[in-house]
Amino acid sequence: MRRSAGIVLVATLSTVVLALSAAPAYAAPADHSGGRLALTSVSNPKPSLVSGGDVLVRVTGSSQIPKLTVDGRAAGATAHSQPDGSWLALISGLRNGVHHIDARSGRNSADLRVTNHPITGPVFSGPQQLPFICETQAYGLPPATSPDCAVPTQVTYLYKNTAGAFVGLADPASVPADAATAEVNGRGVPYIVRLEQGTIDRAVYQIAALYDGTDPTPFRPDGSWNRRLVYTFGGGCDGGFHQGNSTGGVINDLFLAQGFAVASSSLNVLNNNCSTIISAEAAMMVKEHFIETYGPVAHTIGWGGSGGAIQQYDIADAYPGIVDGIVPGVSFPDPFTTLGPVTDCRLLDNYFAATGGTFTAEQQRAVAGFTSYDTCRSWDATFANRITATDSCDPSIPVDLRWDPVTNPDGVKCSAAEQYVNQLGRDPHTGFTRSVLDNVGVQYGLQALDDKKITAKQFADLNASIGGFDYTGTPVAQRSTADPKALAASYRDDLVNSGGQGLGETAVIDQRLDLDLAGFGNDIHTTEWSYVMRERMTKAGTVGNQVIIENSLATINQASVYELAAMDQWLSAIDADTSHRPLSAKVSADRPHSISDGCFLDNGSLVHETLSYNGSGQCASAFPVASNTRLTAGESLSMPVLKCALQPLRFSDYPVTFTDAEKAELRAAFPTGVCDFARRGPHQQGPVGTWLTYGG
C-alpha cells in the first residue's frame, strides 16, 4: 500500500493481564513445489476486492523463480521461495481498476485478474457516509482532513515489564533489564511489542505483534509470531458519521504473550459504526494489509463482546473467510433482531410510568420476561435512543451539523439505521432511512396472561395503550409499522442473520458471560440470545460447529484462556485436514472431542454437558436462562421475523374471559389481527448469498 515511511514514537499503554496457555504449534505447510503452474492472491482471497495498490500473490508448480508481469509489463517484484516449495511476491503500484498479473516459468504460465480499490474505500459497502469527522489525534496520530481522514502510518514500540505493565520503548533494539518473557510455541522471546497505526477505509487501524528485532516482511515470518491473527471487535451500536476514538483493542496480554498478532479498526467498533457490512469491509482491508506486511496467516480468530459479538456472527455468515473462527462474548444475533426488545422496553417504561402502580414489580418482570425488570430499564436508558434522530449523536459531531426539522432538515441523523441506508434505502417522504421497526399485532405480556401473572384487564389495557414510534423515534399512540422495502432487504441481505450461510463454515465458541445472575439483573446482555442464535443455526443445519460455554464474572479470565486455546486447537485441526471434504464438513468433523458445550462453575471446574434453552443439568442450575419481551409475546426461540404475519383476534384463544369493555380495547389495539408466529412474516425470504456488494 502506498504509505509514508513509518515513524517511531513512544507510547504508554495498559491492559488487563490474564492467565495464559500455550498455543499449539503451527502445522507444516503443504508441498507446492510441483504440479501445474498456478497464481493466486494471498493477501485477499477475493482478487476483485484488492485495495491499497498492492497484493501479495503466490506462485505454485514452479521449481525455478517465476517471472511476473502486470498488464504486460515487468511487475518490478521479486518472487521469494518458501519452505513449502511455493513462491511469494508483493505486487505494488497498482492503480485503481482492473489489472492482469501473469506468472511464467519456462513454457508454463498462469494469470490472475485483480481489481484494485482505493485505500480510503469503499470496496463493497457502497457510498460512504458524509459528513465524516476525523479523530486521529485520539490515537496520538497527526490531525487529518475530512472526509478521508488519512494520516501517515506510524510505528511505536512497547514492552511488558516484570511488574505486568506495558511501557513505551524508544529503542526496540535495546531490551530493558526488567522486560518480561513471552512464550511462542514453547520458546521464550523478549516481550517487546510492535504497534502499527494508520488509516484504512477512513478508519484508524491498529496492529500489534511481538517484535523479533527485525522489520516484518511477508516473505519470512517474524520469529516472535505464531502465524495466527486475532481480530478484535468492539461493542455498542450507533449511527456513525465519525471515525471513532477507539478500536476493538490490540494491546492484550492474553493474545500477545503467546505470539498471536492482534488487529482491529475504529470501524470495527459498532458504537462508532453500527453497520456490519462496513465492519466487514474494514476488517477485510486491515487483514489484507496485515498479510502484506507480515505474511500468510494460518487462521484468523474473531474476538469481542456485545456489539463485537454481533459483528463476528454477522460477518462470518455474510462475508465468510475474513475470520475462520469466532469467540463472540455476551452475544446478540444482529442489530435488527435486538431492536424489537430494545424499543419494547422504552414503550413499557413509558406505559408503567404513566399507569402508576397498576402493575407490581413482579408483574412488570413477567411482561418483560427478563430475570429482573431492571434489564428493561437498562435497555431504555442505554440503547433506545439509537432510534432517535439526534439523541445518541457522538460528541465529536458538531451541534450545528445535526438534523433539526426546521433549521437543518438535511443535517446529520444519528439513528443507528443511518448506517444501513445503502441496504434499506431512504424514505423519500421523510428523508430518514426506511424502518424495519414493527410491533403491529404483538401481544405484550401474553405469556404472563397465560401463566395468570397478570389479569385480563391489565393485558387489555397494556396492549391498547403501548403505542409505538414515529420515523424520528418519538413515542406515539399508534403501533410502529415497518417499511415493506426495508423488510425485504433485511432478509434478502442477511441483515437478520439467518445462521445458514458462512456460519456453516465457521468454528464458533459462544462465550456466554452470564449476567442474568442475582446482582446483575439490570444488565442488557441476557443469556437467551446465545440460544436464539443456536436455534437459527439448528434450523439452518449448521449447529454442529457452535459450542456455548457459560461462565460468571468469577471465571471470565479462566474461560477466556480456555476458549482461545480451544479455538486455536480446533482451527489447527481444520488447517491440517487435507481431505477434499467441503469446509462446512471439516468444521464439524474436525472439532476435537474435548471441545463441547459446558460451563465454568465458580469453583473453577469446567463441566461439559449439552446446553439448551431452559435445559437441565449442572450448567442449567448454575446459569438459568430467562426470556425477553418478544418471546413472552409468543415469538419462537429463533426470533426469525421483524414483522409478524397476522391472524384474526379470537377471544376463545385466551385462558381468561374478557369483559365487553376489554374486548373493545383489544379490538382497537389489534384492528388487523394478532401475531401468528407459526407463519412466515411479510416479505420474509432467505438470503440471496454471501459477499454482496453495494456499489462504489
Side-chain angles (χ1 to χ4, degrees):
M1 297 175 183
R2 282 171 272 183
R3 307 176 189 281
S4 59
I7 304 170
V8 178
L9 300 175
V10 177
T12 301
L13 298 172
S14 62
T15 190
V16 176
V17 180
L18 304 175
L20 306 175
S21 65
Y26 174 55
D31 185 357
H32 294 296
S33 57
R36 185 177 179 180
L37 194 70
L39 178 63
T40 56
S41 170
V42 176
S43 53
N44 192 329
K46 300 286 184 182
S48 63
L49 303 178
V50 165
S51 62
D54 44 18
V55 58
L56 184 67
V57 299
R58 186 191 301 275
V59 181
T60 58
S62 176
S63 59
Q64 58 185 353
I65 185 169
K67 295 182 180 179
L68 296 164
T69 61
V70 178
D71 300 330
R73 295 183 293 274
T78 301
H80 297 256
S81 62
Q82 301 298 299
D84 64 355
S86 68
W87 303 82
L88 289 178
L90 184 63
I91 307 295
S92 302
L94 300 177
R95 295 183 300 275
N96 294 336
V98 178
H99 297 274
H100 296 272
I101 303 173
D102 292 282
R104 182 171 293 276
S105 178
R107 296 182 178 180
N108 299 320
S109 64
D111 66 283
L112 177 69
R113 175 189 170 111
V114 302
T115 304
N116 181 64
H117 303 264
I119 195 61
T120 54
V123 178
F124 57 74
S125 66
Q128 293 176 322
Q129 215 172 40
L130 293 172
F132 193 72
I133 310 300
C134 307
E135 296 178 86
T136 51
Q137 291 174 281
Y139 305 83
L141 296 169
T145 302
S146 181
D148 289 341
C149 297
V151 296
T153 302
Q154 296 187 355
V155 175
T156 65
Y157 296 90
L158 309 94
Y159 77 99
K160 183 187 172 186
N161 63 25
T162 52
F166 285 94
V167 183
L169 181 62
D171 182 7
S174 177
V175 180
D178 65 340
T181 300
E183 186 172 302
V184 182
N185 296 334
R187 181 174 60 89
V189 298
Y191 204 142
I192 296 175
V193 179
R194 178 185 183 271
L195 173 63
E196 178 182 328
Q197 300 185 115
T199 49
I200 292 176
D201 205 17
R202 304 199 304 175
V204 172
Y205 77 91
Q206 295 180 315
I207 293 172
L210 293 177
Y211 178 69
D212 71 354
T214 60
D215 290 336
T217 167
F219 311 121
R220 179 195 62 80
D222 188 292
S224 298
W225 175 40
N226 69 5
R227 303 288 291 275
R228 292 127 163 101
L229 176 65
V230 175
Y231 205 100
T232 61
F233 298 87
C237 178
D238 212 350
F241 295 98
H242 65 111
Q243 197 171 39
N245 60 13
S246 64
T247 69
V250 297
I251 305 301
N252 186 307
D253 188 56
L254 173 62
F255 310 136
L256 294 171
Q258 301 176 73
F260 290 88
V262 193
S264 191
S265 158
S266 60
L267 289 183
N268 297 126
V269 177
L270 222 58
N271 215 46
N272 299 332
N273 152 53
C274 201
S275 168
T276 56
I277 294 95
I278 295 174
S279 176
E281 178 180 88
M284 178 195 72
M285 295 174 73
V286 171
K287 182 178 176 180
E288 178 183 341
H289 169 63
F290 175 85
I291 293 172
E292 291 162 355
T293 304
Y294 280 87
V297 174
H299 50 250
T300 302
I301 299 173
W303 195 279
S306 190
I310 288 175
Q311 291 167 86
Q312 291 177 72
Y313 268 126
D314 290 12
I315 290 171
D317 205 51
Y319 294 91
I322 295 176
V323 286
D324 302 297
I326 60 174
V327 187
V330 289
S331 62
F332 301 101
D334 56 70
F336 288 20
T337 303
T338 313
L339 180 65
V342 172
T343 52
D344 290 345
C345 282
R346 171 152 289 189
L347 296 176
L348 288 172
D349 268 2
N350 291 346
Y351 172 77
F352 291 137
T355 55
T358 57
F359 282 71
T360 67
E362 171 55 23
Q363 287 176 323
Q364 292 178 26
R365 188 212 63 76
V367 168
F370 302 111
T371 301
S372 167
Y373 185 75
D374 286 342
T375 295
C376 235
R377 295 191 180 97
S378 180
W379 270 126
D380 184 3
T382 55
F383 281 101
N385 64 356
R386 309 306 162 91
I387 68 166
T388 65
T390 57
D391 289 353
S392 67
C393 287
D394 189 83
S396 65
I397 302 172
V399 174
D400 62 349
L401 292 181
R402 302 178 188 181
W403 175 86
D404 183 276
V406 177
T407 62
N408 195 10
D410 296 321
V412 168
K413 306 175 188 73
C414 300
S415 63
E418 285 297 305
Q419 289 283 19
Y420 288 95
V421 69
N422 290 345
Q423 291 74 46
L424 305 182
R426 195 172 295 284
D427 186 328
H429 302 293
T430 67
F432 282 66
T433 301
R434 296 181 186 275
S435 175
V436 298
L437 184 60
D438 196 285
N439 67 342
V440 172
V442 174
Q443 300 184 79
Y444 291 99
L446 180 61
Q447 186 64 52
L449 179 70
D450 289 345
D451 294 339
K452 297 181 171 54
K453 292 183 177 179
I454 63 174
T455 66
K457 177 178 175 56
Q458 288 174 313
F459 177 78
D461 187 70
L462 168 63
N463 283 284
S465 307
I466 192 73
F469 298 92
D470 69 9
Y471 66 89
T472 68
T474 302
V476 293
Q478 298 77 29
R479 297 261 182 145
S480 306
T481 303
D483 184 293
K485 292 183 178 179
L487 286 172
S490 65
Y491 298 123
R492 181 188 64 232
D493 294 7
D494 206 28
L495 302 180
V496 178
N497 192 334
S498 70
Q501 297 198 118
L503 276 169
E505 302 176 347
T506 307
V508 181
I509 298 179
D510 190 295
Q511 183 189 74
R512 176 46 67 181
L513 170 60
D514 194 301
L515 297 175
D516 292 12
L517 300 171
F520 296 98
N522 65 337
D523 194 276
I524 61 177
H525 302 96
T526 47
T527 301
E528 83 279 359
W529 293 108
S530 292
Y531 297 95
V532 170
M533 197 67 240
R534 166 158 290 185
E535 186 71 5
R536 290 186 183 180
M537 294 177 70
T538 299
K539 289 181 179 297
T542 61
V543 77
N545 54 310
Q546 188 212 37
V547 168
I548 298 175
I549 303 291
E550 295 181 329
N551 61 271
S552 68
L553 284 172
T555 56
I556 180 60
N557 289 358
Q558 184 179 358
S560 296
V561 171
Y562 168 79
E563 287 150 356
L564 177 64
M567 179 57 72
D568 192 28
Q569 182 185 5
W570 189 352
L571 294 177
S572 295
I574 297 170
D575 294 340
D577 187 340
T578 58
S579 71
H580 295 293
R581 294 181 295 184
L583 180 56
S584 58
K586 292 181 180 181
V587 168
S588 295
D590 294 334
R591 173 164 61 89
H593 295 301
S594 60
I595 302 173
S596 64
D597 284 358
C599 63
F600 279 92
L601 303 179
D602 282 357
N603 63 11
S605 62
L606 173 58
V607 176
H608 285 286
E609 60 184 24
T610 301
L611 303 181
S612 62
Y613 183 65
N614 289 331
S616 60
Q618 291 187 70
C619 294
S621 297
F623 304 104
V625 185
S627 185
N628 64 47
T629 59
R630 293 297 168 108
L631 294 178
T632 60
E635 188 164 4
S636 64
L637 179 59
S638 61
M639 298 181 66
V641 299
L642 299 176
K643 179 181 180 65
C644 66
L646 298 175
Q647 62 183 343
L649 174 67
R650 292 184 293 264
F651 295 112
S652 59
D653 290 343
Y654 298 92
V656 297
T657 300
F658 295 103
T659 66
D660 289 344
E662 291 160 0
K663 289 179 179 179
E665 279 191 298
L666 290 172
R667 290 190 185 98
F670 303 116
T672 55
V674 296
C675 284
D676 180 0
F677 289 114
R679 295 163 51 206
R680 294 172 68 90
H683 307 286
Q684 188 180 4
Q685 57 191 279
V688 296
T690 61
W691 286 94
L692 302 185
T693 183
Y694 298 94

